[in-house]
Amino acid sequence: ETALVEGLLGLGAKVAANAVNARTASGCTALQIAAEAGAAMIVRALLDSKKADPADKVLSLANACQNDYAEIAALLLDASTPIDAVPQLAPPTLPLGTKIRYIRFVTTQTKVPNEGILQMSLLQVYDGSGSQLELSDACNPGGNSPPGESPAKALDGNVETKWLDFNKCALECTLVHGPSHISSYTITTANDCPQRDPVCWRLEGRLSADSQWWLIDDRSREPQATPDERFKALHTTVS
């Protein structure tokens, strides 16, 4: 908790997220999401939740933060709330005409919400002409993938391989040939276990490795029609 406070007060969200990772079995928890979103008051309320009535804390958070934060704080303060039931905070919407270099696919719900594993065969993105944009440098901060099912498998072009993550964290990658506009994208289901498929997600992007993430496409509000069929692609146009 001391490390978490230090991260929020002076050393930044990365330290806070690392402290969260050390306190939980999952590297991608609602606490980390709150820290990354800059919702320091929520995490402070969590650290101090035994010293005050949670209802009072939620009320003060509602007054001090955007209304979205109050609902998230209430759920986080309730230890019985499954992580998948806690809304994730979306970044600001990407300004029209902005190019991005880095992509992040954030799954907010799997087909069975309480399923503890996320998997995907392929992630592919396309520009305005419909040309596929090559992706590389796949990573999964906070994730936990078994041998042979690393994040790189989601970019290898082979539908028979897959990326699997026991922590259900975001998939990040880079546009090989530089910044571009993203007009559409495809996710392809893996070989088994449809309950692990993403059905709600956000596609995010940023221009440089140290800049903020922007929202490219938000499909987190209601489940999408991810196919039950295995090795099946779902193509989505950026709205």
Side-chain angles (χ1 to χ4, degrees):
E1 291 187 358
T2 300
L4 188 56
V5 171
E6 289 176 352
L8 291 168
L9 294 180
L11 300 180
K14 183 177 290 187
V15 174
N18 288 339
V20 170
N21 289 346
R23 294 176 59 206
T24 64
S26 170
C28 190
T29 66
L31 277 172
Q32 182 174 343
I33 293 162
E36 290 178 346
M41 289 193 65
I42 291 178
V43 186
R44 289 194 187 108
L46 286 165
L47 293 175
D48 200 35
S49 60
K50 294 183 180 179
K51 300 179 182 178
D53 185 340
D56 291 339
K57 287 198 171 292
V58 171
L59 181 60
S60 65
L61 285 167
N63 292 332
C65 303
Q66 299 178 19
N67 290 335
D68 296 14
Y69 290 102
E71 177 188 3
I72 294 171
L75 291 170
L76 287 170
L77 287 168
D78 180 359
S80 66
T81 303
I83 291 300
D84 275 0
V86 179
Q88 298 188 23
L89 302 177
T93 301
L94 184 71
L96 188 65
T98 303
K99 294 183 177 182
I100 55 93
R101 178 74 190 276
Y102 299 88
I103 295 284
R104 180 164 73 172
F105 187 90
V106 182
T107 299
T108 59
Q109 183 179 315
T110 47
K111 193 163 289 184
V112 173
N114 290 328
E115 167 61 42
I117 301 174
L118 165 67
Q119 67 180 24
M120 181 191 305
S121 175
L122 294 174
L123 172 66
Q124 299 163 307
V125 299
Y126 305 86
D127 64 15
S129 69
S131 298
Q132 184 176 339
L133 299 169
E134 186 178 355
L135 299 172
S136 67
D137 300 328
C139 64
N140 178 216
N144 178 17
S145 299
E149 297 179 348
S150 68
K153 297 298 182 181
L155 311 183
D156 66 3
N158 183 357
V159 72
E160 295 186 357
T161 64
K162 69 180 178 184
W163 160 57
L164 184 147
D165 180 23
F166 291 111
N167 290 346
K168 300 174 71 172
C169 291
L171 175 67
E172 300 182 13
C173 51
T174 305
L175 296 176
V176 171
H177 300 296
S180 180
H181 297 107
I182 305 298
S183 294
S184 63
Y185 57 98
T186 295
I187 63 171
T188 302
T189 59
N191 63 313
D192 61 1
C193 303
Q195 71 271 17
R196 301 173 179 172
D197 296 344
V199 293
C200 295
W201 61 78
R202 298 191 310 269
L203 185 68
E204 301 171 1
R206 60 184 179 185
L207 183 58
S208 62
D210 58 356
S211 61
Q212 75 172 51
W213 290 101
W214 294 86
L215 182 64
I216 299 174
D217 193 50
D218 188 359
R219 303 288 168 165
S220 65
R221 299 182 182 278
E222 61 182 29
Q224 304 301 297
T226 306
D228 286 331
E229 185 179 347
R230 302 297 81 196
F231 308 115
K232 186 72 172 179
L234 174 66
H235 190 76
T236 303
T237 300
V238 171
S239 58

mmCIF file with all atom_site columns, all heavy atoms in Angstrom, residues 73-92:
data_model
loop_
_atom_site.group_PDB
_atom_site.id
_atom_site.type_symbol
_atom_site.label_atom_id
_atom_site.label_alt_id
_atom_site.label_comp_id
_atom_site.label_asym_id
_atom_site.label_entity_id
_atom_site.label_seq_id
_atom_site.pdbx_PDB_ins_code
_atom_site.Cartn_x
_atom_site.Cartn_y
_atom_site.Cartn_z
_atom_site.occupancy
_atom_site.B_iso_or_equiv
_atom_site.pdbx_formal_charge
_atom_site.auth_seq_id
_atom_site.auth_comp_id
_atom_site.auth_asym_id
_atom_site.auth_atom_id
_atom_site.pdbx_PDB_model_num
ATOM 1   N N   . ALA A 1 73 ? -15.880 3.347   -8.317  1.00 0.00 ? 73 ALA A N   1
ATOM 2   C CA  . ALA A 1 73 ? -15.426 3.325   -6.930  1.00 0.00 ? 73 ALA A CA  1
ATOM 3   C C   . ALA A 1 73 ? -16.312 2.440   -6.074  1.00 0.00 ? 73 ALA A C   1
ATOM 4   O O   . ALA A 1 73 ? -15.834 1.665   -5.252  1.00 0.00 ? 73 ALA A O   1
ATOM 5   C CB  . ALA A 1 73 ? -15.404 4.747   -6.370  1.00 0.00 ? 73 ALA A CB  1
ATOM 6   N N   . ALA A 1 74 ? -17.616 2.539   -6.276  1.00 0.00 ? 74 ALA A N   1
ATOM 7   C CA  . ALA A 1 74 ? -18.548 1.731   -5.491  1.00 0.00 ? 74 ALA A CA  1
ATOM 8   C C   . ALA A 1 74 ? -18.298 0.247   -5.716  1.00 0.00 ? 74 ALA A C   1
ATOM 9   O O   . ALA A 1 74 ? -18.300 -0.552  -4.770  1.00 0.00 ? 74 ALA A O   1
ATOM 10  C CB  . ALA A 1 74 ? -19.983 2.096   -5.850  1.00 0.00 ? 74 ALA A CB  1
ATOM 11  N N   . LEU A 1 75 ? -18.077 -0.134  -6.948  1.00 0.00 ? 75 LEU A N   1
ATOM 12  C CA  . LEU A 1 75 ? -17.841 -1.542  -7.257  1.00 0.00 ? 75 LEU A CA  1
ATOM 13  C C   . LEU A 1 75 ? -16.504 -2.022  -6.705  1.00 0.00 ? 75 LEU A C   1
ATOM 14  O O   . LEU A 1 75 ? -16.382 -3.139  -6.203  1.00 0.00 ? 75 LEU A O   1
ATOM 15  C CB  . LEU A 1 75 ? -17.899 -1.759  -8.771  1.00 0.00 ? 75 LEU A CB  1
ATOM 16  C CG  . LEU A 1 75 ? -19.284 -1.587  -9.398  1.00 0.00 ? 75 LEU A CG  1
ATOM 17  C CD1 . LEU A 1 75 ? -19.189 -1.591  -10.916 1.00 0.00 ? 75 LEU A CD1 1
ATOM 18  C CD2 . LEU A 1 75 ? -20.237 -2.670  -8.938  1.00 0.00 ? 75 LEU A CD2 1
ATOM 19  N N   . LEU A 1 76 ? -15.486 -1.162  -6.813  1.00 0.00 ? 76 LEU A N   1
ATOM 20  C CA  . LEU A 1 76 ? -14.174 -1.538  -6.311  1.00 0.00 ? 76 LEU A CA  1
ATOM 21  C C   . LEU A 1 76 ? -14.170 -1.678  -4.798  1.00 0.00 ? 76 LEU A C   1
ATOM 22  O O   . LEU A 1 76 ? -13.488 -2.538  -4.237  1.00 0.00 ? 76 LEU A O   1
ATOM 23  C CB  . LEU A 1 76 ? -13.142 -0.502  -6.732  1.00 0.00 ? 76 LEU A CB  1
ATOM 24  C CG  . LEU A 1 76 ? -12.750 -0.524  -8.209  1.00 0.00 ? 76 LEU A CG  1
ATOM 25  C CD1 . LEU A 1 76 ? -11.921 0.692   -8.536  1.00 0.00 ? 76 LEU A CD1 1
ATOM 26  C CD2 . LEU A 1 76 ? -12.008 -1.782  -8.570  1.00 0.00 ? 76 LEU A CD2 1
ATOM 27  N N   . LEU A 1 77 ? -14.937 -0.836  -4.123  1.00 0.00 ? 77 LEU A N   1
ATOM 28  C CA  . LEU A 1 77 ? -14.983 -0.899  -2.665  1.00 0.00 ? 77 LEU A CA  1
ATOM 29  C C   . LEU A 1 77 ? -15.694 -2.158  -2.178  1.00 0.00 ? 77 LEU A C   1
ATOM 30  O O   . LEU A 1 77 ? -15.517 -2.577  -1.046  1.00 0.00 ? 77 LEU A O   1
ATOM 31  C CB  . LEU A 1 77 ? -15.691 0.349   -2.112  1.00 0.00 ? 77 LEU A CB  1
ATOM 32  C CG  . LEU A 1 77 ? -14.865 1.643   -2.210  1.00 0.00 ? 77 LEU A CG  1
ATOM 33  C CD1 . LEU A 1 77 ? -15.750 2.836   -1.921  1.00 0.00 ? 77 LEU A CD1 1
ATOM 34  C CD2 . LEU A 1 77 ? -13.693 1.618   -1.248  1.00 0.00 ? 77 LEU A CD2 1
ATOM 35  N N   . ASP A 1 78 ? -16.506 -2.757  -3.037  1.00 0.00 ? 78 ASP A N   1
ATOM 36  C CA  . ASP A 1 78 ? -17.192 -4.001  -2.698  1.00 0.00 ? 78 ASP A CA  1
ATOM 37  C C   . ASP A 1 78 ? -16.299 -5.163  -3.122  1.00 0.00 ? 78 ASP A C   1
ATOM 38  O O   . ASP A 1 78 ? -16.189 -5.483  -4.300  1.00 0.00 ? 78 ASP A O   1
ATOM 39  C CB  . ASP A 1 78 ? -18.538 -4.059  -3.419  1.00 0.00 ? 78 ASP A CB  1
ATOM 40  C CG  . ASP A 1 78 ? -19.307 -5.343  -3.104  1.00 0.00 ? 78 ASP A CG  1
ATOM 41  O OD1 . ASP A 1 78 ? -18.774 -6.182  -2.342  1.00 0.00 ? 78 ASP A OD1 1
ATOM 42  O OD2 . ASP A 1 78 ? -20.411 -5.504  -3.618  1.00 0.00 ? 78 ASP A OD2 1
ATOM 43  N N   . ALA A 1 79 ? -15.660 -5.791  -2.160  1.00 0.00 ? 79 ALA A N   1
ATOM 44  C CA  . ALA A 1 79 ? -14.688 -6.846  -2.468  1.00 0.00 ? 79 ALA A CA  1
ATOM 45  C C   . ALA A 1 79 ? -15.317 -8.041  -3.161  1.00 0.00 ? 79 ALA A C   1
ATOM 46  O O   . ALA A 1 79 ? -14.622 -8.851  -3.773  1.00 0.00 ? 79 ALA A O   1
ATOM 47  C CB  . ALA A 1 79 ? -13.994 -7.299  -1.180  1.00 0.00 ? 79 ALA A CB  1
ATOM 48  N N   . SER A 1 80 ? -16.645 -8.176  -3.060  1.00 0.00 ? 80 SER A N   1
ATOM 49  C CA  . SER A 1 80 ? -17.312 -9.329  -3.671  1.00 0.00 ? 80 SER A CA  1
ATOM 50  C C   . SER A 1 80 ? -17.568 -9.130  -5.160  1.00 0.00 ? 80 SER A C   1
ATOM 51  O O   . SER A 1 80 ? -17.986 -10.051 -5.850  1.00 0.00 ? 80 SER A O   1
ATOM 52  C CB  . SER A 1 80 ? -18.644 -9.600  -2.962  1.00 0.00 ? 80 SER A CB  1
ATOM 53  O OG  . SER A 1 80 ? -19.553 -8.535  -3.180  1.00 0.00 ? 80 SER A OG  1
ATOM 54  N N   . THR A 1 81 ? -17.327 -7.931  -5.674  1.00 0.00 ? 81 THR A N   1
ATOM 55  C CA  . THR A 1 81 ? -17.589 -7.647  -7.080  1.00 0.00 ? 81 THR A CA  1
ATOM 56  C C   . THR A 1 81 ? -16.531 -8.294  -7.964  1.00 0.00 ? 81 THR A C   1
ATOM 57  O O   . THR A 1 81 ? -15.350 -8.018  -7.801  1.00 0.00 ? 81 THR A O   1
ATOM 58  C CB  . THR A 1 81 ? -17.592 -6.126  -7.342  1.00 0.00 ? 81 THR A CB  1
ATOM 59  O OG1 . THR A 1 81 ? -18.555 -5.504  -6.506  1.00 0.00 ? 81 THR A OG1 1
ATOM 60  C CG2 . THR A 1 81 ? -17.929 -5.836  -8.803  1.00 0.00 ? 81 THR A CG2 1
ATOM 61  N N   . PRO A 1 82 ? -16.934 -9.160  -8.921  1.00 0.00 ? 82 PRO A N   1
ATOM 62  C CA  . PRO A 1 82 ? -15.943 -9.730  -9.846  1.00 0.00 ? 82 PRO A CA  1
ATOM 63  C C   . PRO A 1 82 ? -15.277 -8.629  -10.656 1.00 0.00 ? 82 PRO A C   1
ATOM 64  O O   . PRO A 1 82 ? -15.904 -7.635  -11.010 1.00 0.00 ? 82 PRO A O   1
ATOM 65  C CB  . PRO A 1 82 ? -16.798 -10.641 -10.752 1.00 0.00 ? 82 PRO A CB  1
ATOM 66  C CG  . PRO A 1 82 ? -18.068 -10.865 -10.006 1.00 0.00 ? 82 PRO A CG  1
ATOM 67  C CD  . PRO A 1 82 ? -18.296 -9.633  -9.181  1.00 0.00 ? 82 PRO A CD  1
ATOM 68  N N   . ILE A 1 83 ? -14.001 -8.815  -10.953 1.00 0.00 ? 83 ILE A N   1
ATOM 69  C CA  . ILE A 1 83 ? -13.264 -7.811  -11.703 1.00 0.00 ? 83 ILE A CA  1
ATOM 70  C C   . ILE A 1 83 ? -13.942 -7.510  -13.032 1.00 0.00 ? 83 ILE A C   1
ATOM 71  O O   . ILE A 1 83 ? -14.014 -6.362  -13.473 1.00 0.00 ? 83 ILE A O   1
ATOM 72  C CB  . ILE A 1 83 ? -11.810 -8.279  -11.942 1.00 0.00 ? 83 ILE A CB  1
ATOM 73  C CG1 . ILE A 1 83 ? -11.048 -8.303  -10.622 1.00 0.00 ? 83 ILE A CG1 1
ATOM 74  C CG2 . ILE A 1 83 ? -11.094 -7.376  -12.939 1.00 0.00 ? 83 ILE A CG2 1
ATOM 75  C CD1 . ILE A 1 83 ? -10.963 -6.962  -9.930  1.00 0.00 ? 83 ILE A CD1 1
ATOM 76  N N   . ASP A 1 84 ? -14.481 -8.557  -13.697 1.00 0.00 ? 84 ASP A N   1
ATOM 77  C CA  . ASP A 1 84 ? -15.108 -8.336  -14.999 1.00 0.00 ? 84 ASP A CA  1
ATOM 78  C C   . ASP A 1 84 ? -16.349 -7.457  -14.913 1.00 0.00 ? 84 ASP A C   1
ATOM 79  O O   . ASP A 1 84 ? -16.814 -6.933  -15.927 1.00 0.00 ? 84 ASP A O   1
ATOM 80  C CB  . ASP A 1 84 ? -15.497 -9.680  -15.640 1.00 0.00 ? 84 ASP A CB  1
ATOM 81  C CG  . ASP A 1 84 ? -14.333 -10.301 -16.392 1.00 0.00 ? 84 ASP A CG  1
ATOM 82  O OD1 . ASP A 1 84 ? -13.255 -9.678  -16.407 1.00 0.00 ? 84 ASP A OD1 1
ATOM 83  O OD2 . ASP A 1 84 ? -14.509 -11.388 -16.960 1.00 0.00 ? 84 ASP A OD2 1
ATOM 84  N N   . ALA A 1 85 ? -16.926 -7.336  -13.706 1.00 0.00 ? 85 ALA A N   1
ATOM 85  C CA  . ALA A 1 85 ? -18.133 -6.524  -13.550 1.00 0.00 ? 85 ALA A CA  1
ATOM 86  C C   . ALA A 1 85 ? -17.822 -5.057  -13.334 1.00 0.00 ? 85 ALA A C   1
ATOM 87  O O   . ALA A 1 85 ? -18.729 -4.224  -13.303 1.00 0.00 ? 85 ALA A O   1
ATOM 88  C CB  . ALA A 1 85 ? -18.969 -7.054  -12.381 1.00 0.00 ? 85 ALA A CB  1
ATOM 89  N N   . VAL A 1 86 ? -16.551 -4.711  -13.183 1.00 0.00 ? 86 VAL A N   1
ATOM 90  C CA  . VAL A 1 86 ? -16.169 -3.319  -12.941 1.00 0.00 ? 86 VAL A CA  1
ATOM 91  C C   . VAL A 1 86 ? -15.914 -2.629  -14.274 1.00 0.00 ? 86 VAL A C   1
ATOM 92  O O   . VAL A 1 86 ? -15.083 -3.076  -15.058 1.00 0.00 ? 86 VAL A O   1
ATOM 93  C CB  . VAL A 1 86 ? -14.898 -3.237  -12.075 1.00 0.00 ? 86 VAL A CB  1
ATOM 94  C CG1 . VAL A 1 86 ? -14.500 -1.772  -11.852 1.00 0.00 ? 86 VAL A CG1 1
ATOM 95  C CG2 . VAL A 1 86 ? -15.128 -3.934  -10.748 1.00 0.00 ? 86 VAL A CG2 1
ATOM 96  N N   . PRO A 1 87 ? -16.629 -1.556  -14.573 1.00 0.00 ? 87 PRO A N   1
ATOM 97  C CA  . PRO A 1 87 ? -16.404 -0.856  -15.843 1.00 0.00 ? 87 PRO A CA  1
ATOM 98  C C   . PRO A 1 87 ? -14.970 -0.364  -15.949 1.00 0.00 ? 87 PRO A C   1
ATOM 99  O O   . PRO A 1 87 ? -14.369 0.043   -14.967 1.00 0.00 ? 87 PRO A O   1
ATOM 100 C CB  . PRO A 1 87 ? -17.383 0.326   -15.777 1.00 0.00 ? 87 PRO A CB  1
ATOM 101 C CG  . PRO A 1 87 ? -18.384 -0.039  -14.739 1.00 0.00 ? 87 PRO A CG  1
ATOM 102 C CD  . PRO A 1 87 ? -17.663 -0.913  -13.752 1.00 0.00 ? 87 PRO A CD  1
ATOM 103 N N   . GLN A 1 88 ? -14.433 -0.402  -17.153 1.00 0.00 ? 88 GLN A N   1
ATOM 104 C CA  . GLN A 1 88 ? -13.091 0.104   -17.388 1.00 0.00 ? 88 GLN A CA  1
ATOM 105 C C   . GLN A 1 88 ? -13.190 1.498   -17.997 1.00 0.00 ? 88 GLN A C   1
ATOM 106 O O   . GLN A 1 88 ? -14.049 1.761   -18.834 1.00 0.00 ? 88 GLN A O   1
ATOM 107 C CB  . GLN A 1 88 ? -12.324 -0.830  -18.324 1.00 0.00 ? 88 GLN A CB  1
ATOM 108 C CG  . GLN A 1 88 ? -12.147 -2.220  -17.726 1.00 0.00 ? 88 GLN A CG  1
ATOM 109 C CD  . GLN A 1 88 ? -11.233 -3.071  -18.578 1.00 0.00 ? 88 GLN A CD  1
ATOM 110 O OE1 . GLN A 1 88 ? -10.424 -2.566  -19.335 1.00 0.00 ? 88 GLN A OE1 1
ATOM 111 N NE2 . GLN A 1 88 ? -11.350 -4.375  -18.454 1.00 0.00 ? 88 GLN A NE2 1
ATOM 112 N N   . LEU A 1 89 ? -12.319 2.380   -17.574 1.00 0.00 ? 89 LEU A N   1
ATOM 113 C CA  . LEU A 1 89 ? -12.363 3.751   -18.027 1.00 0.00 ? 89 LEU A CA  1
ATOM 114 C C   . LEU A 1 89 ? -11.745 3.879   -19.408 1.00 0.00 ? 89 LEU A C   1
ATOM 115 O O   . LEU A 1 89 ? -10.615 3.468   -19.632 1.00 0.00 ? 89 LEU A O   1
ATOM 116 C CB  . LEU A 1 89 ? -11.620 4.646   -17.040 1.00 0.00 ? 89 LEU A CB  1
ATOM 117 C CG  . LEU A 1 89 ? -12.154 4.615   -15.608 1.00 0.00 ? 89 LEU A CG  1
ATOM 118 C CD1 . LEU A 1 89 ? -11.277 5.488   -14.720 1.00 0.00 ? 89 LEU A CD1 1
ATOM 119 C CD2 . LEU A 1 89 ? -13.597 5.081   -15.558 1.00 0.00 ? 89 LEU A CD2 1
ATOM 120 N N   . ALA A 1 90 ? -12.494 4.462   -20.338 1.00 0.00 ? 90 ALA A N   1
ATOM 121 C CA  . ALA A 1 90 ? -11.994 4.627   -21.701 1.00 0.00 ? 90 ALA A CA  1
ATOM 122 C C   . ALA A 1 90 ? -11.171 5.907   -21.809 1.00 0.00 ? 90 ALA A C   1
ATOM 123 O O   . ALA A 1 90 ? -11.463 6.899   -21.151 1.00 0.00 ? 90 ALA A O   1
ATOM 124 C CB  . ALA A 1 90 ? -13.165 4.684   -22.675 1.00 0.00 ? 90 ALA A CB  1
ATOM 125 N N   . PRO A 1 91 ? -10.138 5.894   -22.645 1.00 0.00 ? 91 PRO A N   1
ATOM 126 C CA  . PRO A 1 91 ? -9.369  7.119   -22.877 1.00 0.00 ? 91 PRO A CA  1
ATOM 127 C C   . PRO A 1 91 ? -10.175 8.078   -23.749 1.00 0.00 ? 91 PRO A C   1
ATOM 128 O O   . PRO A 1 91 ? -11.231 7.718   -24.278 1.00 0.00 ? 91 PRO A O   1
ATOM 129 C CB  . PRO A 1 91 ? -8.132  6.607   -23.621 1.00 0.00 ? 91 PRO A CB  1
ATOM 130 C CG  . PRO A 1 91 ? -8.608  5.380   -24.321 1.00 0.00 ? 91 PRO A CG  1
ATOM 131 C CD  . PRO A 1 91 ? -9.624  4.757   -23.407 1.00 0.00 ? 91 PRO A CD  1
ATOM 132 N N   . PRO A 1 92 ? -9.697  9.316   -23.939 1.00 0.00 ? 92 PRO A N   1
ATOM 133 C CA  . PRO A 1 92 ? -10.413 10.252  -24.808 1.00 0.00 ? 92 PRO A CA  1
ATOM 134 C C   . PRO A 1 92 ? -10.421 9.773   -26.249 1.00 0.00 ? 92 PRO A C   1
ATOM 135 O O   . PRO A 1 92 ? -9.552  9.021   -26.685 1.00 0.00 ? 92 PRO A O   1
ATOM 136 C CB  . PRO A 1 92 ? -9.609  11.553  -24.657 1.00 0.00 ? 92 PRO A CB  1
ATOM 137 C CG  . PRO A 1 92 ? -8.265  11.119  -24.178 1.00 0.00 ? 92 PRO A CG  1
ATOM 138 C CD  . PRO A 1 92 ? -8.500  9.904   -23.337 1.00 0.00 ? 92 PRO A CD  1
#
